[in-house]
Amino acid sequence: NTGTWSVISGPAGLAFNNVNSPTTSITGLVGGTYVLQWQITGACPTSNDLVTIAVSTPASAGTDISACAVTSVALNAVPATTG
């Protein structure tokens, strides 16, 4: 029997260290939602399962501000997102 990881959906760039290892690592993750499949062939019947991974991008408080003798400033934060 042979097991194989594959990407069903998600942002481009994901890479498996070893697509045939059930305990492989992945790299190239960016913000978004990935659906990965582990499929075992050679068994009767073929078997598979899906896993969903949601990768969030970190929040950003915006550009640093230097201010002197002011009573207000405008903030421009960017919230974290998940695909």
Side-chain angles (χ1 to χ4, degrees):
N1 298 338
T2 302
T4 305
W5 284 105
S6 60
V7 178
I8 301 300
S9 64
L14 179 144
F16 295 95
N17 184 47
N18 178 347
V19 297
N20 299 115
S21 171
T23 59
T24 193
S25 59
I26 52 177
T27 58
L29 296 170
V30 297
T33 300
Y34 299 82
V35 178
L36 310 178
Q37 177 178 261
W38 174 247
Q39 183 172 45
I40 299 174
T41 57
C44 183
T46 295
S47 177
N48 65 62
D49 194 23
L50 301 176
V51 61
T52 300
I53 301 171
V55 178
S56 297
T57 56
S60 171
T63 305
D64 292 345
I65 300 169
S66 293
C68 181
V70 297
T71 58
S72 66
V73 294
L75 301 178
N76 191 21
V78 178
T81 59
T82 301

